[in-house]
Amino acid sequence: MDSTVPSDPVPNVVDLAARLRAELGEESVPQVPQARYGGDRAVPGASDIFFVLVLPHDVAGVQTTLRLAHETATPVVPRGAGSGLSGGATATDGAIVLGLERLSTIREIDPLDEVAVVEAGVITADLSAALAPHGFFYAPDPASVGISTIGGNIATNAGGLHCAKYGVTRESVLGLEVVLADGTLLRTGHRSIKGVTGLDLTQLLIGSEGTLAVVVGATVRIRPLPVARRTVLARFDSAAQAAAGVGAISRSPVQPAATELLDAGTLADIDAHAGSHIAAGDGAMLLVELDGYGVEEQTRDLIGALTAAGGDVRAIESETEAERLWELRRSSRAAGGGRARLGEDVAVPTSRLAELLTELEAIGRRHGVRTSAVAHAGDGNLHPSFSLLGVPEDPSGQLPPAILAAADDLVRTALDLGGTISGEHGIGTSKRGWLDLELSPASRALQHRVKEAFDPQHLLNPGKAL
Amino acid sequence: MDSTVPSDPVPNVVDLAARLRAELGEESVPQVPQARYGGDRAVPGASDIFFVLVLPHDVAGVQTTLRLAHETATPVVPRGAGSGLSGGATATDGAIVLGLERLSTIREIDPLDEVAVVEAGVITADLSAALAPHGFFYAPDPASVGISTIGGNIATNAGGLHCAKYGVTRESVLGLEVVLADGTLLRTGHRSIKGVTGLDLTQLLIGSEGTLAVVVGATVRIRPLPVARRTVLARFDSAAQAAAGVGAISRSPVQPAATELLDAGTLADIDAHAGSHIAAGDGAMLLVELDGYGVEEQTRDLIGALTAAGGDVRAIESETEAERLWELRRSSRAAGGGRARLGEDVAVPTSRLAELLTELEAIGRRHGVRTSAVAHAGDGNLHPSFSLLGVPEDPSGQLPPAILAAADDLVRTALDLGGTISGEHGIGTSKRGWLDLELSPASRALQHRVKEAFDPQHLLNPGKAL
């Protein structure tokens, strides 16, 4: 990669690969791993990084891999589907990349206990699909739900669209099965809804981005499918005014299942990408999902609150139209692709969302960068996008300085507004440079001591998250 | 206390008390602390334990206390209101007892961000009372809500009646202000609903029973008051059948705000204590609260499910009657007092609750002990009570061997059914003897390493929880 890489690890890891092949079988340790296993959607795998890919079929295979890594002091980069957005699965030279994708069994669905037991590599949407015939669903739904895995979602404490009502991944995980740095299998948590025995290692592991242990399975909470759903669409003159609409929802007794804000730039990108017609000049949109009992009354109260906040509001009566709108919303990341672009992820207290959106536009003007935004507005979680219209995407993931400078301004603004540098994507490698802006030296030192309690050799996902 | 107590700490701690008085003021360090500050509701303070009580007025006072404790290697036992039920605040000879009760300011209520910022010593019910005029409430509500503090609730990750729908304390805490063992003030978490920066120290600290740091403040999530509430009462022939009713609720789309099960023994105790008439022979009761939109439809579906499960069900139309029923439910701990009695706290997967209740009765017969039970049945969280009718309560908290043996059988049964030794009260000193039944050696060793990352001198709440 560069001249600072030591020359030793590579021969060592070739030996290690041979040992892993002997223990796990040839096809679990490909001779020539695809470069894509070296990265994620934010930091693509580099072709000049040498790593050993291990794709175990079972938990024992993960234990063997970690045991051998431990014996040989080899770094391990765990990965789910590689759908991450912060470089949390970036391979380093001489490392083992430990892919969990083959641990994809839904071991158990228990509607009476309202839990499911899954392996880490289960695709998140596949779990909800398997639950539907039982009348249940799995609440966490990052926009990547169709490609990301439960294990990856746990590693990043993934959020999504339904968090304001149903919580992030953390709130749906009761227990974990993890492999520690030395290969020991550890079960944490409980199958009951409640449980307070000992330190809550489950909660500590969630969101630790593979730096403490490797998640191989989870006992998750499932919820009964709501009896009804209703989508409400509200148009506002500006993104800031749409954010004021979110405040009106906060003051009302309605708690939507999802409250998504799409600004004019995002709406235009979606229309250009999908051939739809949802943009309306400079206007922004709130797309709200209500669910559960009393949706009629919820709809009435929501329309009242949003109309009073200056919105042009209508309930979507057609289920087809509602589904189409949500599909367009979920397509917003793909829309606007092809050009040099950076998608960001910050969160602020919801009352500051309007200021953040106003400042985003000012930042774009200041740096000559096009900005657009979509937000899980009910959580104050903003995904701004920075792009340069005439500049094509660089396949290596390199970004023009103007985009990086604009993103830096935005992240600092979020912090100034009482927010955080990452709402739901994690820190990975992409956001480590901002850590000191949010965390005190005391906090970082303590986190490193906790890391050492789990991984004294610093082998697990080195250079990430902390 | 006994002959194994070293003689050194006491003179040292007298010097320390003088230094603390000089720094914090005479009235923050009482010359003769009341014995009650040495214990909680499970393990009363012993009169022959010598400790220094410190009651700081502010965060700086807590920092000073911990700084001096750190310098002098003096153990510190943090406490909230002393309403705990597992001996988590038991003073040890020569320790500082650090009471947080004077840190009782609600610093901020923000309906737009849907957060409140409170000091640790705020009584939990006081927060909800302060929120009501804003149209909000704080969801966690242990039965001790009128006497326990938010800080104590955080230390134990307290549960309560509304957890199946609204989550335990953990789900309502966004950020913490804690003082570390050396006196350093640390802020963790975020004010936004989402945030994934770094390891989640907030979640690790919740439920750590004062062994990692001292909680002095919290940013908590508040929720809009539901638009409506409805209480439904269902009678069943037995406790096991009432538990089957809970299963019927799980299979229905209704998600009650509270689902409480009271067995015949508990109902009889309540009637004897309150002069009410809610018992009916050997029958058990489910007391259910529905809330939010569409309570009429929820009530209809709930009555359908519970009737099909064999219940005699009616919706309580009178608000006065509903309030009275909930008040009686909350009085169940006080009812049956005066005699030798142990209240326990376990949780099982909800589908196993019927078996646990049946086994509880068998255990009582086996040991010649009277048993009764109340359960947060929607969470599978059972509070069984073991008593001997002819034997008066021992003020020192000593219990007859038959009661201890029965409780031991019950805890082991809960584990056999896939449950946990503590649903919501914590481990404290009372339940440490059972820790190895639930946690593996690898888990306990890891927890001790995490403890050392926070408190290398082992000064914080020694001998508790871990």
Short mmCIF file of all heavy atoms in Angstrom, two decimals, chain B residues 252-289:
data_model
loop_
_atom_site.label_atom_id
_atom_site.label_comp_id
_atom_site.label_asym_id
_atom_site.label_seq_id
_atom_site.Cartn_x
_atom_site.Cartn_y
_atom_site.Cartn_z
N SER B 252 -51.47 -12.16 19.96
CA SER B 252 -52.38 -11.14 19.41
C SER B 252 -51.58 -9.91 18.99
O SER B 252 -50.41 -9.78 19.36
CB SER B 252 -53.38 -10.73 20.49
OG SER B 252 -52.82 -9.72 21.33
N PRO B 253 -52.18 -9.02 18.22
CA PRO B 253 -51.43 -7.81 17.84
C PRO B 253 -51.42 -6.73 18.93
O PRO B 253 -50.78 -5.69 18.75
CB PRO B 253 -52.20 -7.31 16.60
CG PRO B 253 -53.56 -7.88 16.73
CD PRO B 253 -53.48 -9.14 17.54
N VAL B 254 -52.08 -6.99 20.05
CA VAL B 254 -52.15 -5.98 21.12
C VAL B 254 -50.83 -5.97 21.88
O VAL B 254 -50.31 -7.02 22.24
CB VAL B 254 -53.30 -6.31 22.10
CG1 VAL B 254 -53.41 -5.23 23.17
CG2 VAL B 254 -54.60 -6.48 21.36
N GLN B 255 -50.30 -4.78 22.12
CA GLN B 255 -49.13 -4.68 22.98
C GLN B 255 -49.47 -3.80 24.18
O GLN B 255 -49.40 -2.58 24.13
CB GLN B 255 -47.93 -4.10 22.24
CG GLN B 255 -46.69 -4.19 23.11
CD GLN B 255 -45.41 -3.85 22.39
OE1 GLN B 255 -45.41 -3.09 21.43
NE2 GLN B 255 -44.31 -4.41 22.85
N PRO B 256 -49.84 -4.43 25.29
CA PRO B 256 -50.26 -3.65 26.46
C PRO B 256 -49.11 -2.81 27.01
O PRO B 256 -47.94 -3.16 26.86
CB PRO B 256 -50.67 -4.72 27.47
CG PRO B 256 -50.94 -5.95 26.69
CD PRO B 256 -49.98 -5.88 25.52
N ALA B 257 -49.48 -1.72 27.68
CA ALA B 257 -48.48 -0.91 28.38
C ALA B 257 -48.01 -1.65 29.63
O ALA B 257 -46.87 -1.52 30.05
CB ALA B 257 -49.07 0.44 28.75
N ALA B 258 -48.89 -2.43 30.24
CA ALA B 258 -48.53 -3.22 31.42
C ALA B 258 -49.38 -4.48 31.44
O ALA B 258 -50.56 -4.44 31.08
CB ALA B 258 -48.74 -2.43 32.70
N THR B 259 -48.78 -5.60 31.83
CA THR B 259 -49.50 -6.86 31.99
C THR B 259 -49.03 -7.48 33.30
O THR B 259 -47.96 -8.08 33.36
CB THR B 259 -49.20 -7.84 30.83
OG1 THR B 259 -49.49 -7.21 29.59
CG2 THR B 259 -50.04 -9.11 30.96
N GLU B 260 -49.80 -7.30 34.35
CA GLU B 260 -49.41 -7.76 35.68
C GLU B 260 -50.21 -8.98 36.08
O GLU B 260 -51.44 -9.01 35.93
CB GLU B 260 -49.61 -6.64 36.69
CG GLU B 260 -48.74 -5.41 36.41
CD GLU B 260 -47.27 -5.67 36.67
OE1 GLU B 260 -46.93 -6.08 37.80
OE2 GLU B 260 -46.47 -5.47 35.74
N LEU B 261 -49.50 -9.97 36.60
CA LEU B 261 -50.15 -11.19 37.08
C LEU B 261 -50.07 -11.22 38.60
O LEU B 261 -48.99 -11.02 39.17
CB LEU B 261 -49.45 -12.40 36.47
CG LEU B 261 -50.01 -13.80 36.74
CD1 LEU B 261 -49.58 -14.75 35.62
CD2 LEU B 261 -49.60 -14.38 38.08
N LEU B 262 -51.21 -11.46 39.25
CA LEU B 262 -51.24 -11.57 40.72
C LEU B 262 -51.86 -12.91 41.07
O LEU B 262 -52.98 -13.20 40.65
CB LEU B 262 -52.07 -10.43 41.33
CG LEU B 262 -51.56 -9.00 41.10
CD1 LEU B 262 -52.08 -8.43 39.79
CD2 LEU B 262 -51.97 -8.10 42.27
N ASP B 263 -51.12 -13.73 41.81
CA ASP B 263 -51.67 -15.03 42.15
C ASP B 263 -52.55 -14.94 43.40
O ASP B 263 -52.69 -13.86 44.01
CB ASP B 263 -50.57 -16.10 42.27
CG ASP B 263 -49.80 -16.02 43.59
OD1 ASP B 263 -50.01 -15.06 44.37
OD2 ASP B 263 -48.98 -16.93 43.82
N ALA B 264 -53.16 -16.07 43.76
CA ALA B 264 -54.14 -16.07 44.86
C ALA B 264 -53.52 -15.58 46.17
O ALA B 264 -54.14 -14.83 46.92
CB ALA B 264 -54.72 -17.48 45.02
N GLY B 265 -52.28 -16.01 46.44
CA GLY B 265 -51.62 -15.60 47.67
C GLY B 265 -51.41 -14.10 47.74
O GLY B 265 -51.62 -13.47 48.79
N THR B 266 -51.00 -13.53 46.64
CA THR B 266 -50.78 -12.09 46.59
C THR B 266 -52.10 -11.34 46.76
O THR B 266 -52.18 -10.36 47.51
CB THR B 266 -50.12 -11.70 45.24
OG1 THR B 266 -48.81 -12.29 45.20
CG2 THR B 266 -49.99 -10.20 45.10
N LEU B 267 -53.14 -11.82 46.08
CA LEU B 267 -54.45 -11.17 46.20
C LEU B 267 -54.94 -11.22 47.65
O LEU B 267 -55.45 -10.21 48.17
CB LEU B 267 -55.45 -11.83 45.24
CG LEU B 267 -55.15 -11.66 43.74
CD1 LEU B 267 -56.07 -12.55 42.91
CD2 LEU B 267 -55.31 -10.20 43.31
N ALA B 268 -54.76 -12.36 48.30
CA ALA B 268 -55.18 -12.48 49.70
C ALA B 268 -54.39 -11.53 50.60
O ALA B 268 -54.96 -10.88 51.49
CB ALA B 268 -55.01 -13.94 50.18
N ASP B 269 -53.08 -11.45 50.37
CA ASP B 269 -52.25 -10.53 51.15
C ASP B 269 -52.70 -9.08 50.98
O ASP B 269 -52.75 -8.31 51.94
CB ASP B 269 -50.77 -10.64 50.74
CG ASP B 269 -50.07 -11.86 51.36
OD1 ASP B 269 -50.65 -12.46 52.28
OD2 ASP B 269 -48.96 -12.19 50.90
N ILE B 270 -52.97 -8.73 49.74
CA ILE B 270 -53.40 -7.35 49.48
C ILE B 270 -54.72 -7.07 50.20
O ILE B 270 -54.88 -6.04 50.87
CB ILE B 270 -53.54 -7.10 47.95
CG1 ILE B 270 -52.16 -7.10 47.29
CG2 ILE B 270 -54.27 -5.79 47.68
CD1 ILE B 270 -52.18 -7.01 45.78
N ASP B 271 -55.67 -7.99 50.11
CA ASP B 271 -56.96 -7.79 50.78
C ASP B 271 -56.77 -7.63 52.29
O ASP B 271 -57.40 -6.77 52.91
CB ASP B 271 -57.91 -8.96 50.48
CG ASP B 271 -58.54 -8.84 49.10
OD1 ASP B 271 -58.45 -7.75 48.49
OD2 ASP B 271 -59.13 -9.84 48.63
N ALA B 272 -55.90 -8.48 52.86
CA ALA B 272 -55.68 -8.41 54.31
C ALA B 272 -55.04 -7.09 54.70
O ALA B 272 -55.33 -6.51 55.76
CB ALA B 272 -54.79 -9.58 54.75
N HIS B 273 -54.19 -6.58 53.84
CA HIS B 273 -53.44 -5.35 54.12
C HIS B 273 -54.28 -4.11 53.87
O HIS B 273 -54.26 -3.15 54.65
CB HIS B 273 -52.19 -5.35 53.22
CG HIS B 273 -51.31 -4.15 53.36
ND1 HIS B 273 -51.24 -3.17 52.40
CD2 HIS B 273 -50.45 -3.77 54.34
CE1 HIS B 273 -50.37 -2.24 52.79
NE2 HIS B 273 -49.88 -2.59 53.96
N ALA B 274 -55.05 -4.12 52.79
CA ALA B 274 -55.75 -2.91 52.36
C ALA B 274 -57.24 -2.93 52.67
O ALA B 274 -57.93 -1.93 52.46
CB ALA B 274 -55.53 -2.71 50.85
N GLY B 275 -57.76 -4.07 53.15
CA GLY B 275 -59.19 -4.16 53.39
C GLY B 275 -60.00 -4.20 52.10
O GLY B 275 -61.20 -3.89 52.09
N SER B 276 -59.35 -4.58 51.01
CA SER B 276 -60.05 -4.67 49.71
C SER B 276 -60.66 -6.06 49.55
O SER B 276 -60.56 -6.91 50.44
CB SER B 276 -59.05 -4.38 48.59
OG SER B 276 -57.89 -5.20 48.75
N HIS B 277 -61.29 -6.30 48.44
CA HIS B 277 -61.92 -7.60 48.18
C HIS B 277 -61.62 -8.03 46.75
O HIS B 277 -62.52 -8.26 45.95
CB HIS B 277 -63.43 -7.52 48.41
CG HIS B 277 -63.77 -7.08 49.80
ND1 HIS B 277 -63.74 -7.93 50.89
CD2 HIS B 277 -64.10 -5.85 50.28
CE1 HIS B 277 -64.05 -7.25 51.98
NE2 HIS B 277 -64.28 -5.99 51.65
N ILE B 278 -60.35 -8.15 46.42
CA ILE B 278 -60.01 -8.53 45.05
C ILE B 278 -59.67 -10.01 44.91
O ILE B 278 -59.60 -10.52 43.81
CB ILE B 278 -58.86 -7.65 44.46
CG1 ILE B 278 -57.59 -7.74 45.32
CG2 ILE B 278 -59.31 -6.20 44.33
CD1 ILE B 278 -56.41 -7.01 44.68
N ALA B 279 -59.44 -10.70 46.01
CA ALA B 279 -59.16 -12.14 45.92
C ALA B 279 -60.45 -12.89 45.59
O ALA B 279 -61.55 -12.42 45.88
CB ALA B 279 -58.57 -12.64 47.23
N ALA B 280 -60.30 -14.05 44.95
CA ALA B 280 -61.44 -14.92 44.67
C ALA B 280 -60.97 -16.36 44.73
O ALA B 280 -60.59 -16.94 43.71
CB ALA B 280 -62.04 -14.58 43.30
N GLY B 281 -60.94 -16.90 45.95
CA GLY B 281 -60.53 -18.29 46.13
C GLY B 281 -59.12 -18.54 45.62
O GLY B 281 -58.20 -17.78 45.92
N ASP B 282 -58.96 -19.60 44.83
CA ASP B 282 -57.63 -19.96 44.32
C ASP B 282 -57.31 -19.24 43.02
O ASP B 282 -56.29 -19.54 42.39
CB ASP B 282 -57.57 -21.48 44.07
CG ASP B 282 -57.59 -22.25 45.38
OD1 ASP B 282 -57.21 -21.66 46.41
OD2 ASP B 282 -57.98 -23.43 45.35
N GLY B 283 -58.18 -18.36 42.61
CA GLY B 283 -58.02 -17.75 41.28
C GLY B 283 -56.92 -16.71 41.24
O GLY B 283 -56.55 -16.10 42.24
N ALA B 284 -56.37 -16.52 40.04
CA ALA B 284 -55.34 -15.50 39.80
C ALA B 284 -55.91 -14.40 38.91
O ALA B 284 -56.97 -14.57 38.29
CB ALA B 284 -54.13 -16.14 39.14
N MET B 285 -55.19 -13.31 38.87
CA MET B 285 -55.68 -12.16 38.13
C MET B 285 -54.61 -11.64 37.17
O MET B 285 -53.43 -11.62 37.49
CB MET B 285 -56.02 -11.04 39.13
CG MET B 285 -56.55 -9.77 38.49
SD MET B 285 -56.60 -8.40 39.71
CE MET B 285 -58.01 -8.88 40.69
N LEU B 286 -55.06 -11.25 35.99
CA LEU B 286 -54.21 -10.43 35.12
C LEU B 286 -54.79 -9.03 35.11
O LEU B 286 -56.00 -8.84 34.88
CB LEU B 286 -54.21 -10.95 33.67
CG LEU B 286 -53.37 -12.16 33.30
CD1 LEU B 286 -53.43 -12.38 31.78
CD2 LEU B 286 -51.92 -12.01 33.75
N LEU B 287 -53.95 -8.06 35.38
CA LEU B 287 -54.36 -6.66 35.34
C LEU B 287 -53.58 -6.03 34.19
O LEU B 287 -52.34 -6.01 34.21
CB LEU B 287 -54.00 -6.01 36.69
CG LEU B 287 -54.64 -4.67 37.01
CD1 LEU B 287 -56.16 -4.75 37.02
CD2 LEU B 287 -54.13 -4.17 38.37
N VAL B 288 -54.31 -5.55 33.20
CA VAL B 288 -53.67 -5.10 31.97
C VAL B 288 -53.99 -3.63 31.73
O VAL B 288 -55.12 -3.20 31.91
CB VAL B 288 -54.17 -5.94 30.76
CG1 VAL B 288 -53.48 -5.51 29.47
CG2 VAL B 288 -53.95 -7.43 31.02
N GLU B 289 -52.98 -2.88 31.34
CA GLU B 289 -53.21 -1.49 30.93
C GLU B 289 -52.93 -1.35 29.44
O GLU B 289 -51.86 -1.73 28.95
CB GLU B 289 -52.31 -0.54 31.71
CG GLU B 289 -52.59 0.92 31.37
CD GLU B 289 -51.73 1.89 32.19
OE1 GLU B 289 -52.04 2.06 33.39
OE2 GLU B 289 -50.76 2.43 31.64
#
